[in-house]
Amino acid sequence: MPEATETASKSKLNLPALTAMVVGSMVGAGVFQLPARFAGQTGVYGALIAWSIAGLGMLTLALVFQTLAVRKPQLDNGVYVYAREGFGLYPGFLSAVGFWASTCAGNAFYWVLIMTTLSQLFPEWRSVLGDGDTWPAFFISAAAVWGFFLLIRRGVKEAAAINFIVTVAKLVPLALFLVLVIFFVRWDVFAGNLTGGYDVPGGESLFAQVQGTMLITVFVFLGIEGASVYSRYAKKREHVGTATVLGFLSVLALFASISILSYGILPRAELAALPQPSVGGVLEAAVGPWGGAFIRVGLIISVLGAYLAWQLLAADVVYAAAKDNDLPRHFAVLNRRQVPEHAVLWTSVFVTVILFVVQFVDNALDFTLDLTAALALAPYALASAYALKIALQRDGYDGPAAGRRTRDLVIAAVSTAYTLFLIWVAGYVFLFLACILLAPATILYIVARRQQHAKVFTRPGLATFIAVLGFAVVGIVLLATGAVQI
């Protein structure tokens, strides 16, 4: 997500500065999870294929957001507005709530990650904090969530100094990781990790291995929509597309290098067994304990700074939706410091609820990571479908823009297909979980419509609600009977 809007707004950005901001919007905590997550699913060949698919798909998604920013500049209240504009009020509401829930799940992931990282830095705390899934870890995380709430409601906002510290804390350890790992790669180990086991009897097929990596590739690219936000700050409009492509390719190279080079440090089984953040474990295996400690300290600094930005983003999604009358007016109330206090309050409540729920799942870190990625997929798919729709209808493609329509049409079609494929890959469990959340949340939509004395559902909207409600009921039954477990 965007991490330096305040700085950007003060001056117009040249191409290098714009590219750096695009990179900063995409590099987050997920990159520190890559070695173990990839090794748990596939080998080198599968990783190369996975990054190729993710690279093409996510690049088209980034270009979709850029296209929408150019063709529909008036739609600037967030990702969810594209769903509302293209497919109706209720799908727009679902997109807003889904994106908000994704951001809240990401915030919960941050605290689980901080707790498990602290338990690695201080082994004597291991029995207390575990992997971020113990009750002491929950109470500490919940206290921190509400501490940030008190700061934000007093008007504390993201600052340029925080952005700089966060960026350095992320990129310097990762750069050091790449430099050191290149020198310590053992090519015999790398060769042994090539196939991931698809060539042995009983091993998973290469397709199944690649499929298993898709959600983590989505998670690490969350914030890709932030590239379009910076279009308004560019010195030259033509720099925006160039910065988007350059920034994306730089981030893709970083992510792919970290996951693939790690295969040359440890055998796949040992990589997969590393505790998260596994980048620290890989560097520790290469250079000794100081390497792991360095990565983990940098991660904690980075995550603490990024949490403030993500909490503000989550609240802003709710606030913007309320301003657009897609949520009750309650969420659009500003306090005397011009902070949307109710939006921040309910965001903090939801993050706390997610932290409570993860105490009952098998792997809190992976669950919150996958939930964050899965909840973002529908808003991304609807945005891609809207870009496809306006290209097909020639909406916004008059005059000189007509020549770009075919290009934008192809990009939007690929992005739509890719995001729909990701929804299928995520699986029905996360579809059920999303609907269990969205069905009762529809009460907020009904309240908002009645506040406007407007018809609640159109026929397509009602049909969509019935489908969501049906999936929610099925999901609850399957969870209650133990047929589906999380």
Side-chain angles (χ1 to χ4, degrees):
M1 59 155 288
E3 291 188 350
T5 305
E6 179 182 333
T7 304
S9 63
K10 293 178 181 177
S11 60
K12 292 294 184 178
L13 300 172
N14 58 23
L15 180 58
L18 198 62
T19 303
M21 293 186 72
V22 172
V23 170
S25 74
M26 282 186 275
V27 179
V31 64
F32 293 89
Q33 322 300 303
L34 288 173
R37 281 297 296 258
F38 263 78
Q41 297 293 336
T42 190
V44 176
Y45 293 149
L48 289 170
I49 295 171
W51 285 119
S52 298
I53 294 172
L56 175 62
M58 283 295 177
L59 179 59
T60 59
L61 183 60
L63 294 175
V64 157
F65 285 121
Q66 188 52 51
T67 296
L68 291 173
V70 173
R71 304 292 168 217
K72 298 291 180 180
Q74 73 277 17
L75 303 178
D76 58 359
N77 271 359
V79 174
Y80 83 93
V81 296
Y82 301 129
R84 185 190 65 197
E85 187 74 10
F87 306 103
L89 293 173
Y90 185 61
F93 165 81
L94 294 178
S95 182
V97 174
F99 198 73
W100 174 66
S102 171
T103 311
C104 290
N107 288 342
F109 165 83
Y110 276 157
W111 289 114
V112 175
L113 180 59
I114 287 174
M115 293 299 109
T116 188
T117 304
L118 283 173
S119 71
Q120 294 170 29
L121 278 172
F122 304 99
E124 62 272 19
W125 296 0
R126 180 73 182 174
S127 60
V128 176
L129 300 179
D131 291 320
D133 54 0
T134 64
W135 288 112
F138 164 74
F139 287 115
I140 294 171
S141 298
V145 168
W146 290 100
F148 271 90
F149 165 73
L150 294 175
L151 286 175
I152 293 171
R153 72 188 292 267
R154 290 177 59 85
V156 175
K157 295 183 178 180
E158 192 178 13
I162 294 176
N163 290 326
F164 178 76
I165 293 170
V166 169
T167 301
V168 170
K170 285 187 297 191
L171 296 181
V172 169
L174 294 175
L176 179 65
F177 172 89
L178 288 177
V179 170
L180 292 176
V181 166
I182 288 172
F183 282 103
F184 285 90
V185 165
R186 295 157 52 197
W187 295 109
D188 57 326
V189 173
F190 188 83
N193 288 331
L194 289 176
T195 67
Y198 68 78
D199 56 341
V200 299
E204 276 195 316
S205 68
L206 184 58
F207 176 78
Q209 291 181 15
V210 172
Q211 182 180 338
T213 67
M214 287 292 101
L215 277 184
I216 181 64
T217 62
V218 173
F219 184 87
V220 295
F221 281 116
L222 287 179
I224 197 168
E225 71 280 358
S228 65
V229 173
Y230 301 125
S231 59
R232 74 192 73 173
Y233 306 125
K235 281 185 177 179
K236 296 181 179 179
R237 197 71 176 180
E238 58 267 26
H239 285 171
V240 176
T242 304
T244 298
V245 173
L246 289 176
F248 175 82
L249 292 177
S250 300
V251 172
L252 175 62
L254 174 67
F255 293 165
S257 298
I258 286 173
S259 57
I260 291 170
L261 286 173
S262 297
Y263 286 110
I265 301 300
L266 291 169
R268 179 175 166 242
E270 293 182 31
L271 268 181
L274 287 175
Q276 297 287 18
S278 53
V279 163
V282 172
L283 193 58
E284 188 170 318
V287 302
W290 73 267
F294 181 74
I295 291 287
R296 291 168 185 132
V297 170
L299 171 65
I300 290 173
I301 296 171
S302 170
V303 169
L304 284 174
Y307 177 82
L308 175 61
W310 272 70
Q311 193 75 339
L312 289 167
L313 173 68
D316 188 63
V317 171
V318 179
Y319 171 73
K323 290 284 286 183
D324 285 342
N325 296 314
D326 292 322
L327 284 173
R329 300 187 190 106
H330 169 83
F331 295 99
V333 173
L334 298 174
N335 66 14
R336 61 187 179 86
R337 298 179 185 272
Q338 297 302 297
V339 174
E341 184 170 336
H342 294 166
V344 178
L345 170 67
W346 287 105
T347 296
S348 301
V349 169
F350 193 36
V351 172
T352 306
V353 169
I354 296 173
L355 286 169
F356 178 81
V357 170
V358 300
Q359 303 306 309
F360 303 97
V361 302
D362 290 336
N363 188 320
L365 198 64
D366 282 348
F367 174 78
T368 49
L369 186 154
D370 291 341
L371 182 64
T372 303
L375 287 170
L377 292 178
Y380 283 170
L382 288 168
S384 298
Y386 178 57
L388 180 61
K389 180 180 178 180
I390 65 172
L392 287 170
Q393 296 178 343
R394 302 177 184 271
D395 182 3
Y397 287 91
D398 300 324
R404 295 183 58 89
R405 190 182 75 90
T406 301
R407 169 188 174 274
D408 290 349
L409 182 64
V410 172
I411 288 172
V414 173
S415 181
T416 303
Y418 172 66
T419 50
L420 291 176
F421 167 70
L422 290 174
I423 291 173
W424 174 73
V425 165
Y428 62 89
V429 172
F430 287 107
L431 174 62
F432 289 144
L433 290 176
C435 289
I436 290 171
L437 165 69
L438 294 172
T442 302
I443 294 172
L444 299 175
Y445 173 78
I446 295 171
V447 170
R449 298 299 291 164
R450 288 185 172 172
Q451 284 179 345
Q452 301 167 68
H453 306 289
K455 184 179 180 179
V456 176
F457 288 112
T458 61
R459 285 187 179 181
L462 181 59
T464 304
F465 170 65
I466 291 172
V468 169
L469 184 61
F471 277 114
V473 171
V474 172
I476 290 171
V477 170
L478 293 177
L479 286 171
T481 58
V484 169
Q485 296 183 345
I486 58 176

